[in-house]
Amino acid sequence: MAIIVDKTQKRKDIALACKDALINDGIHNVSISKLTKAAGISKGSFYDYFENKNDLIFEIINISLSKHNELKQNKLNSVKTTREKAKVFLQIFYDEDDEELKNLYKEFLSISLSNPTKDILDYHKNRNDEYFEWFVSIFNDGIKKGELNPEALNLVKGLFILGNGLFLSGLTCNFHKNDSYMEEVNEFIDVIFNFVEV
């Protein structure tokens, strides 16, 4: 009887087996041979599941983001007010909770900057749009609950861009390890919310 392989699960398993090699060597330096050795598969099997190394990193980031988003949702569920939710949401851009995801994202940014193919740009735009819509939903919920003035929606894009900037700066400057910086960001959010809360 033939063994039935769950290709989706096998793809995830291979990606996770390759993750450490990818992070340690970087997407540009790691060889397919090293990746296949880490996963315990042949080169032919690698190409049965992935088009190239970029496809592999997309899969690894998707797996990591799913786990990260679940943890983030749990954190958001643990706070009550929209102000607190905005702080929790923006903290993901500069906290130290998921260094592995940040290292993976550095590799993704490296690909994006050095070889910005349509697939890479689309992937980045889709992830960015998903996070932005999630952030907008927090503000919409706050408006529905009567916590925020409807004009608060005019600030969402700016706050989101601030968060993205914090994330990118944190990847290179490691300022997220500075507690006073986190306090300053939270104070900034408090000032913004003082203007938009009912």
Side-chain angles (χ1 to χ4, degrees):
M1 183 172 179
I3 298 172
I4 298 171
V5 176
D6 180 345
K7 288 198 110 180
T8 303
Q9 186 58 49
K10 182 70 174 174
R11 180 179 158 94
K12 286 181 181 177
D13 293 342
I14 293 169
L16 290 173
C18 294
K19 183 169 58 173
D20 289 340
L22 185 77
I23 291 172
N24 291 337
D25 290 5
I27 190 76
H28 296 296
N29 298 323
V30 72
S31 67
I32 296 294
S33 296
K34 186 161 188 178
L35 292 170
T36 56
K37 185 177 179 184
I41 58 172
S42 68
K43 282 186 181 180
S45 291
F46 179 87
Y47 288 110
D48 284 341
Y49 291 94
F50 300 97
E51 291 180 30
N52 51 38
K53 290 190 287 185
N54 292 356
D55 190 24
L56 172 68
I57 199 166
F58 291 161
E59 182 66 22
I60 294 171
I61 289 176
N62 282 334
I63 293 166
S64 297
L65 279 177
S66 291
K67 185 173 82 174
H68 177 76
N69 290 347
E70 189 177 320
L71 293 172
K72 182 169 61 171
Q73 187 61 60
N74 289 337
K75 284 184 181 181
L76 288 168
N77 292 341
S78 73
V79 294
K80 303 241 183 276
T81 68
T82 305
R83 180 189 295 235
E84 292 170 315
K85 288 181 188 295
K87 287 180 182 180
V88 166
F89 191 93
L90 291 176
Q91 278 175 355
I92 62 144
F93 290 115
Y94 61 86
D95 68 13
E96 295 184 65
D97 282 355
D98 204 337
E99 285 301 311
E100 184 178 272
L101 180 59
K102 287 179 182 159
N103 288 331
L104 286 169
Y105 211 77
K106 278 184 191 179
E107 289 304 318
F108 175 72
L109 287 177
S110 171
I111 297 167
S112 300
L113 295 171
S114 64
N115 185 23
T117 65
K118 182 177 181 333
D119 286 346
I120 289 169
L121 295 174
D122 287 347
Y123 181 87
H124 185 69
K125 181 183 182 316
N126 291 337
R127 297 299 77 74
N128 193 66
D129 289 349
E130 286 172 16
Y131 276 92
F132 180 65
E133 290 305 316
W134 193 352
F135 196 47
V136 168
S137 73
I138 290 170
F139 278 72
N140 277 326
D141 287 345
I143 292 166
K144 285 178 192 168
K145 291 179 184 173
E147 290 180 39
L148 301 179
N149 292 314
E151 293 81 18
L153 286 176
N154 296 330
L155 299 171
V156 175
K157 187 89 168 188
L159 283 172
F160 187 76
I161 290 169
L162 168 73
N164 272 326
L166 290 170
F167 178 69
L168 293 174
S169 296
L171 288 178
T172 56
C173 303
N174 287 327
F175 62 62
H176 56 274
K177 294 181 179 176
N178 180 343
D179 288 337
S180 68
Y181 191 84
M182 289 187 198
E183 289 172 17
E184 289 172 22
V185 171
N186 283 333
E187 285 173 14
F188 175 76
I189 293 169
D190 284 334
V191 169
I192 295 293
F193 270 79
N194 287 340
F195 288 108
V196 296
E197 281 180 333
V198 174

